[in-house]
């Protein structure tokens, strides 16, 4: 991490010549500008920078699309302001002579851009702060590594790619060793960017791995998550390989992103842990009950894409039942840790999740449970895949319907945010509905 003064010194010594000013868009990607370090220090530090406001109103392919109130042809596609958050200033070691700083988005009059993912999380964190609580979070992000470059993968229509490991290498030291040169570069690059690396390990899918980072306050964790996700792709590309974080890249196990969330009070004491039957406090029980009660209607923030929902299958380690259990990986929420480290793990999000939105939804659901004193159902023992109770939405269309009908989402996020992200889902559904897939061609071209 860098202070602004340290940046000035490094620039004066010709150690840094470029500053990346970035924010996280709806899809969880870093967007922004590369600025000369001299210009950044002379102009942007005091006067900020601008970017076209369509960056929060496009589809995943950067096409301008209709339906957004904040940005359109009718509104002229003007600018919003990128306001650097200097607490995020850091080195970007995998790019020579480069620093990175994340920005908050504001309108020209200084008002926040409500639909910005970082602002959505900040608003929910402020609700916690009113109670004297701070959220701490950790995200466990999985990816699949291929030996082809991104360009080769595109030329092959993303078919018949070669996984970096040819067998299930879950916890395999040998499997990790086969790709350790790249994993090590990613770990060291992230450490050099101020992230606290804990470990890396193999996972179940072919070529699948996970690099874990230490928990931090929720906003810092989301910032780090976004930086890591972009950086890992860039480092892999520099090595002539490619990484995908998509939720379900093939028929085998998907890429998950389990999210751990806990609360501390102003004195640093745990809020969710206590002397209840499962080690939860009364507040902890209500907070978890609220997260379960809100899960279906908040699923759009946990699983934002059509592909997201293909993870949810019996026996896949991705949940189908909206249940909780103590150290039970078949449930949507798994209670993990002991004593003051006790916390719920949300197993619904996949590798394609936008962490700001997911954690905002978890906080909103938890506070709903606290404010309404919702009782916590008994922990589920056994196989949640066989449970007949409420289910995780099976499709993006189901999740969209629950989101649009949610009184809770409108109350905590506002109508503008609800409609903004509903429109994003509608755009994706329309694009998918218009597509003719390989599956349809294989089954129908000759035989139908």
């Amino acid at each position: 991490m860098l202070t602004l003064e340290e940046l000035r010194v490094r620039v004066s010594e010709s150690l840094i010549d470029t500053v990346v000013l970035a924010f996280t868009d709806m899809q969880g990607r870093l967007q922004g500008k590369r600025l000369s370090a001299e210009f950044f220090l002379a102009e942007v530090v005091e006067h900020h920078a601008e970017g076209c406001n369509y960056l929060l109103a496009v589809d995943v392919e950067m096409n301008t699309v209709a339906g957004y109130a904040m940005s359109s042809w009718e509104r002229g596609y003007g600018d919003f302001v990128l306001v650097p958050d200097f607490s995020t200033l850091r080195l970007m070691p995998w790019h020579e002579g480069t620093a990175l700083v994340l920005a908050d988005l504001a309108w020209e009059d200084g008002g926040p851009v409500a639909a910005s993912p970082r602002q959505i999380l900040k608003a929910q964190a402020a609700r916690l702060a009113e109670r004297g609580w701070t959220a701490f979070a950790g995200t466990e992000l999985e990816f699949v590594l291929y030996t082809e470059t991104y360009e080769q993968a595109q030329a092959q229509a993303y078919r018949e790619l070669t996984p970096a490991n040819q067998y299930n290498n879950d916890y395999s030291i040998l499997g990790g060793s086969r790709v350790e040169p790249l994993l090590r570069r990613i770990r060291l690059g992230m450490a050099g960017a101020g992230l606290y690396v804990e470990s890396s390990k193999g996972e179940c899918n072919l070529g699948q791995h996970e690099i874990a980072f230490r928990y931090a306050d929720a906003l810092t964790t989301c910032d780090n998550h976004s930086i890591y996700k972009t950086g890992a792709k860039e480092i892999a590309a520099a090595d002539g390989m490619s990484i995908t974080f998509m939720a379900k890249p093939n028929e085998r196990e998907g890429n998950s992103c389990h999210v751990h969330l806990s609360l501390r009070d102003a004195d640093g004491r745990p809020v969710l842990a206590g002397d209840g039957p499962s080690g939860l406090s009364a507040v902890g029980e209500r907070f978890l009950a609220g997260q379960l009660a809100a899960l279906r209607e908040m699923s759009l923030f946990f699983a934002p894409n059509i592909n997201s929902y293909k993870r949810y299958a019996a026996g896949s380690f991705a949940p189908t039942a909206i249940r909780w259990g103590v150290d039970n990986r078949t449930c949507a929420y798994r209670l993990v840790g002991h004593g003051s480290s006790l916390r719920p793990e949300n197993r619904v999000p996949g590798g394609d999740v936008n962490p700001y939105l997911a954690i905002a939804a978890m906080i909103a659901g938890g506070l709903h449970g606290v404010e309404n004193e919702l009782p916590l159902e008994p922990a589920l023992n056994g196989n949640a895949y066989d449970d007949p109770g409420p289910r995780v939405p099976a499709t993006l269309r189901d999740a969209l319907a629950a989101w649009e009908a949610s009184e809770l989402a409108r109350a905590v996020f506002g109508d503008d945010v609800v409609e903004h992200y509903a429109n994003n889902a509608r755009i994706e559904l329309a694009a998918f509905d218009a597509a003719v897939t390989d599956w349809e061609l294989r089954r129908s071209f000759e035989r139908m």
Side-chain angles (χ1 to χ4, degrees):
M1 306 299 292
L2 294 173
T3 65
L4 195 54
E5 184 55 37
E6 287 170 338
L7 177 65
R8 293 185 193 278
V9 171
R10 289 173 183 252
V11 172
S12 70
E13 295 174 348
S14 299
L15 298 175
I16 291 178
D17 53 63
T18 303
V19 176
V20 174
L21 177 64
F23 69 94
T24 306
D25 69 4
M26 286 194 296
Q27 289 79 17
R29 305 172 298 188
L30 291 186
Q31 306 282 24
K33 300 179 179 182
R34 279 179 164 81
L35 307 168
S36 79
E38 180 183 13
F39 175 75
F40 177 79
L41 292 172
E43 299 292 339
V44 176
V45 166
E46 183 176 355
H47 302 294
H48 312 322
E50 294 77 34
C52 180
N53 61 34
Y54 93 138
L55 291 169
L56 279 184
V58 291
D59 67 10
V60 72
E61 295 184 319
M62 301 299 291
N63 295 313
T64 54
V65 290
Y68 289 108
M70 63 169 275
S71 182
S72 64
W73 293 113
E74 290 72 24
R75 294 177 63 91
Y77 283 119
D79 282 345
F80 43 42
V81 180
L82 279 64
V83 182
D85 180 346
F86 294 112
S87 71
T88 69
L89 183 63
R90 68 193 71 212
L91 294 173
M92 209 174 188
W94 56 97
H95 291 301
E96 186 177 357
T98 302
L100 166 71
V101 64
L102 298 180
D104 284 314
L105 299 180
W107 296 113
E108 293 288 349
D109 64 3
V113 177
S116 165
R118 203 167 190 261
Q119 293 303 120
I120 290 172
L121 176 57
K122 279 188 167 185
Q124 296 308 305
R127 295 180 64 209
L128 290 175
E130 291 173 359
R131 296 173 174 266
W133 298 343
T134 301
F136 287 81
T139 57
E140 299 175 338
L141 188 55
E142 295 174 349
F143 59 84
V144 176
L145 174 64
Y146 293 101
T147 61
E148 289 83 3
T149 67
Y150 284 109
E151 291 75 18
Q152 289 168 336
Q154 183 180 27
Q156 292 174 215
Y158 306 100
R159 297 294 182 186
E160 299 181 4
L161 301 180
T162 308
N165 302 93
Q166 298 295 313
Y167 51 83
N168 180 331
N169 68 135
D170 193 23
Y171 287 94
S172 169
I173 297 301
L174 176 60
S177 298
R178 296 288 296 274
V179 294
E180 171 61 7
L182 175 61
L183 297 182
R184 182 172 181 270
R185 273 190 283 279
I186 295 174
R187 293 197 308 268
L188 294 179
M190 295 307 118
L195 282 69
Y196 187 136
V197 181
E198 288 191 346
S199 62
S200 60
K201 64 177 286 291
E203 292 289 345
C204 297
N205 201 338
L206 307 187
Q208 190 177 49
H209 294 268
E210 173 188 288
I211 299 176
F213 300 89
R214 189 161 182 79
Y215 71 90
D217 68 272
L219 187 65
T220 297
T221 287
C222 293
D223 291 344
N224 290 346
H225 177 118
S226 301
I227 292 166
Y228 159 59
K229 195 171 181 180
T230 295
K233 291 179 180 179
E234 292 174 342
I235 294 169
D239 257 22
M241 304 177 78
S242 56
I243 280 173
T244 183
F245 292 96
M246 69 182 294
K248 188 74 168 173
N250 53 40
E251 291 76 15
R252 291 179 61 96
E253 295 83 2
N255 287 320
S256 67
C257 180
H258 303 146
V259 181
H260 298 246
L261 182 67
S262 62
L263 304 178
R264 294 182 191 171
D265 66 17
D267 295 318
R269 295 172 299 199
V271 173
L272 303 185
D275 55 5
S278 299
L280 289 167
S281 66
V283 170
E285 290 184 356
R286 293 166 183 164
F287 197 81
L288 179 53
Q291 290 179 319
L292 292 167
L295 196 153
R296 273 192 64 86
E297 56 202 281
M298 297 291 183
S299 288
L300 194 64
F301 274 9
F302 300 140
N305 301 303
I306 288 165
N307 178 259
S308 307
Y309 294 83
K310 298 194 174 182
R311 283 180 59 242
Y312 308 131
S316 66
F317 287 102
T320 58
I322 302 177
R323 296 297 189 198
W324 77 279
V326 178
D327 197 18
N328 187 336
R329 285 182 167 87
T330 69
C331 296
Y333 271 85
R334 178 173 76 118
L335 194 65
V336 297
H338 305 279
S340 61
S341 70
L342 190 76
R343 63 203 182 274
E345 171 196 69
N346 183 351
R347 299 178 62 80
V348 175
D352 59 343
V353 72
N354 185 321
Y356 300 94
L357 301 181
I359 293 176
M362 292 172 68
I363 293 171
L367 286 175
H368 169 67
V370 172
E371 291 167 353
N372 293 279
E373 299 184 355
L374 298 185
L376 180 62
E377 65 186 40
L380 186 140
N381 298 311
N383 187 355
Y385 292 116
D386 294 334
D387 186 81
R391 317 297 283 178
V392 176
T395 67
L396 180 62
R397 206 175 303 275
D398 295 341
L400 172 59
W403 172 257
E404 290 187 292
S406 173
E407 294 181 4
L408 175 61
R410 294 183 183 276
V412 298
F413 299 128
D415 288 338
D416 289 348
V417 169
V418 170
E419 292 303 324
H420 191 91
Y421 284 89
N423 190 64
N424 182 57
R426 287 192 292 266
I427 293 296
E428 288 301 296
L429 286 164
F432 183 74
D433 289 344
V436 177
T437 66
D438 291 350
W439 184 87
E440 293 168 279
L441 288 168
R442 285 196 303 271
R443 292 175 73 89
S444 304
F445 188 92
E446 178 180 348
R447 288 174 284 187
M448 295 293 181

